[in-house]
């Protein structure tokens, strides 16, 4: 089954404790992205990757890191989480779009709480 | 960067009536405009999209219109049903990069 998976689905942690949220897709998509969803703010892009070893900042990259060592995986790293990073996080992937855009397939989401 | 504004933030309609959600964008270079539906507790899913070289697109009860001159696009849902109740997000993508900017969302409630 074609899908995007994220782990963990729920995480409660404390300020400053490094964490990684994993994202994996089995559709051989080149493009992957991370979003955070907060009430009243919609989905905001954190980082995206056009292919292996190619990443770029989205609209809200501060406090986050990413890596793309394999095509299927795109982990999100919070080196020193803070309470303002409490949010619902989505990973997404999509195929090449030929200059336009293509459907993004979202993972199930990770609910992160930083105390 | 791109700025997408979405209105209204909430919309309540009677079952069978139509619903319209409007979005404006700031970057005239944007060339792709998708709409995503997010049911409660679920992930967003694409319901329809339109490219800048098309003015209107329809898929059964949903349609999207694009006005490039005015830089706005709209989602139209006809004959609404209870299963249409969800949060709807519009988005815009610049032709020159891979960023996708989303609106803040519209919570649609269909009253039986």
């Amino acid at each position: 089954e074609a899908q995007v998976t994220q782990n963990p689905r729920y995480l409660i942690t404390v300020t400053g404790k490094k964490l990684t949220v994993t994202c994996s897709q089995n559709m051989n998509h080149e493009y992957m992205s991370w979003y955070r969803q907060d009430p009243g703010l919609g989905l905001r892009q954190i980082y995206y990757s056009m292919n292996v070893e190619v990443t770029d900042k989205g609209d809200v990259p501060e406090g986050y890191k990413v890596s793309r060592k394999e095509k299927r995986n795109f982990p999100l790293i919070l080196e020193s989480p803070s309470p303002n990073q409490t949010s619902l996080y989505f990973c997404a992937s999509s195929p090449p779009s030929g200059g336009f855009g293509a459907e993004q397939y979202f993972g199930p989401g990770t609910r992160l709480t930083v105390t | 960067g791109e700025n997408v504004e979405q209105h209204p933030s909430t919309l309540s309609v009677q079952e069978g009536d139509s619903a319209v959600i409007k979005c404006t964008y700031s970057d005239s270079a944007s060339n792709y405009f998708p709409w995503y539906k997010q049911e409660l507790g679920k992930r967003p899913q694409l319901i329809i999209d339109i490219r800048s070289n098309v003015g209107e697109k329809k898929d059964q009860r949903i349609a999207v219109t694009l006005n490039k001159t005015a830089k706005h696009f709209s989602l139209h849902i006809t004959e609404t049903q209870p299963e249409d109740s969800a949060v709807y997000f519009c988005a815009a993508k610049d032709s020159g990069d891979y960023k996708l900017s989303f609106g803040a969302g519209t919570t649609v409630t269909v009253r039986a």
Side-chain angles (χ1 to χ4, degrees), chain A residues 4 31 35 37 40-43 45 48 50 57-59 90 97 99-104 106-108, chain B residues 31-32 36 38 42-46 49 51-53 89 93 95 97-105:
Chain A
V4 179
Y31 178 91
Y35 298 89
Q37 183 175 12
L41 297 178
L43 292 154
Q45 194 172 44
Y48 59 93
M50 292 75 77
K57 297 178 181 178
D59 293 321
F90 285 101
S97 61
F100 288 95
E103 178 175 1
Q104 295 211 24
F106 284 82
Chain B
N31 68 349
Y32 175 68
Y36 285 82
Q38 186 179 30
K42 300 286 183 66
R43 70 193 78 187
Q45 290 189 298
L46 181 75
D49 58 9
R51 296 180 172 184
S52 57
N53 56 358
F89 294 99
K93 178 189 162 299
S95 62
D97 62 37
Y98 295 83
K99 290 184 181 179
L100 189 63
S101 298
F102 282 83

Side-chain angles (χ1 to χ4, degrees), chain B residues 58-85:
Chain B
K58 189 174 181 180
D59 183 3
Q60 298 183 335
R61 295 187 297 107
I62 60 173
V64 57
T65 58
L66 171 65
N67 184 325
K68 287 191 295 182
T69 303
K71 290 190 285 188
H72 69 70
F73 56 112
S74 300
L75 178 71
H76 305 253
I77 307 173
T78 59
E79 301 173 14
T80 54
Q81 301 170 4
E83 53 264 37
D84 295 328
S85 295

Side-chain angles (χ1 to χ4, degrees), chain A residues 93-114:
Chain A
S93 73
S94 65
S97 61
F100 288 95
E103 178 175 1
Q104 295 211 24
Y105 295 83
F106 284 82
T110 295
R111 174 77 64 183
L112 173 65
T113 302
V114 183

